[in-house]
Amino acid sequence: MKIIETIKEMREFVTEAQRQGQSIGLVPTMGSLHEGHLTLMQRAKQVCDIVVTSIFINPTQFGPNEDFAKYPRDLTGDSKKAASVGVEVIFHPQAAEMYPEGYSSFIEVEGITGKLCGLSRPGHFRGVATVVNKLFNIVQPNMAFFGQKDAQQVLVLQRMVADLNMNITLEVVPIVREADGLAMSSRNAFLSAEERRAALVLSRSLKLAEELVAQGEDNALKIRSQVMAEIQAEELADCEYVEVYNYPLLQGITAITGKALLALAVRIGKTRLIDNTILEVK
Ligand code: AMP
């Protein structure tokens, strides 16, 4: 497995792969790899000849008071993990390689970025759409793989690819969870033992909503308030948002018909965690 740090070298690798008629799958990440990331890479490996994973903690998607500086970094561990699932290349550029002096171009996806994480993290999706667009231009993948863990991110990127006529197939991989339900996340490493236990409130409250729907509840407001009550009952949890929107348009609803996204962002101590589930009323 190669670790490539420059855009020039990445382009040379891509040109050679394309010359040999090989398809390229891209898995963009910010590193500190866990089973969720590895599942994306394994899926990419099944359907593409060559898998490139990018490890880049993208400064433009972090707000000024967010955890960019302390975001976990572990290139040595990540290299071993990526190699173990057959990744051919880790693309690991420095920030100055991606955003040299004078950099001034950004991608704005309007509409669906104005809610959920887009509301609480202004500029976040502008940074995400921009860096993913840049990675697409550099790596020129046939396919790119993203996790449903970041449900809104997936919708934003699908919108970008469709609107800008990008010739890339996006594939979405279901949320990978720990045995006790906690959605895997690089940020879980920040949790103390007590916070780790408290963090179970996210998946537990999603389960509660799924059970309500299974029992015939379709009132989005009732589901939302029961989920909020469950979260508020956890002392270490501070709820940032709980929303139920129709899916995939993300419009506000009072009753669920068809599919709805239940998405939440919760702070456990200083760590912000997100999770979601698709509710379905048939
Ligand atoms: P990140 O490194 O957090 O930016 O994540 C990189 C990619 O991995 C994104 O497409 C995420 O949605 C995906 N991902 C992160 N955690 C999980 C998970 N628990 N299950 C599935 N995909 C995940």
Side-chain angles (χ1 to χ4, degrees), residues 58-70:
N58 174 36
T60 65
Q61 71 189 65
F62 287 80
N65 298 316
E66 294 183 357
D67 57 358
F68 173 72
K70 67 167 196 156

Side-chain angles (χ1 to χ4, degrees), residues 238-268:
D238 187 7
C239 187
E240 183 178 294
Y241 67 72
V242 174
E243 299 293 351
V244 181
Y245 288 122
N246 70 2
Y247 186 81
L249 294 179
L250 298 193
Q251 293 154 332
I253 44 172
T254 49
I256 302 175
T257 51
K259 288 186 180 175
L261 175 71
L262 166 59
L264 31 100
V266 178
R267 273 177 206 284
I268 305 288

Side-chain angles (χ1 to χ4, degrees), residues 167-181:
N167 192 18
I168 296 173
T169 304
L170 301 192
E171 193 173 305
V172 183
V173 171
I175 302 177
V176 179
R177 297 179 179 280
E178 302 284 359
D180 60 7

Side-chain angles (χ1 to χ4, degrees), residues 51-251:
V51 177
V52 176
T53 189
S54 54
I55 296 183
F56 179 59
I57 305 177
N58 174 36
T60 65
Q61 71 189 65
F62 287 80
N65 298 316
E66 294 183 357
D67 57 358
F68 173 72
K70 67 167 196 156
Y71 196 87
R73 290 156 167 88
D74 178 20
L75 187 60
T76 312
D78 287 350
S79 306
K80 289 187 193 136
K81 289 177 195 164
S84 79
V85 293
V87 165
E88 274 80 8
V89 175
I90 290 179
F91 178 51
H92 181 248
Q94 296 302 307
E97 178 79 358
M98 294 292 271
Y99 301 106
E101 211 171 307
Y103 189 91
S104 23
S105 304
F106 294 88
I107 301 272
E108 283 278 4
V109 178
E110 298 180 353
I112 52 167
T113 52
K115 51 193 73 171
L116 303 172
C117 291
L119 257 191
S120 41
R121 304 184 70 187
H124 171 67
F125 288 116
R126 176 181 188 256
V128 169
T130 300
V131 80
V132 170
N133 191 9
K134 286 172 66 67
L135 291 168
F136 284 178
N137 287 332
I138 296 163
V139 178
Q140 297 177 39
N142 303 79
M143 297 184 72
F145 298 80
F146 297 91
Q148 180 63 19
K149 161 89 191 319
D150 298 275
Q152 189 179 15
Q153 169 170 281
V154 164
L155 294 173
V156 169
L157 295 176
Q158 285 171 336
R159 189 79 255 162
M160 176 183 83
V161 165
D163 287 353
L164 300 182
N165 312 101
M166 296 177 169
N167 192 18
I168 296 173
T169 304
L170 301 192
E171 193 173 305
V172 183
V173 171
I175 302 177
V176 179
R177 297 179 179 280
E178 302 284 359
D180 60 7
L182 180 68
M184 290 195 186
S185 163
S186 306
R187 290 188 169 97
N188 292 349
F190 295 140
L191 301 171
S192 68
E194 208 191 336
E195 288 170 345
R196 171 69 182 71
R197 180 203 52 74
L200 288 175
V201 74
L202 282 89
S203 53
R204 190 167 69 238
S205 64
L206 295 177
K207 266 248 134 44
L208 169 72
E210 286 164 4
E211 281 160 16
L212 290 172
V213 169
Q215 288 158 17
E217 182 62 78
D218 68 352
N219 185 319
L221 305 177
K222 273 194 193 155
I223 292 170
R224 179 172 182 262
S225 61
Q226 294 221 28
V227 168
M228 271 189 157
E230 180 75 19
I231 296 170
Q232 278 157 3
E234 171 52 67
E235 237 175 80
L236 297 184
D238 187 7
C239 187
E240 183 178 294
Y241 67 72
V242 174
E243 299 293 351
V244 181
Y245 288 122
N246 70 2
Y247 186 81
L249 294 179
L250 298 193
Q251 293 154 332

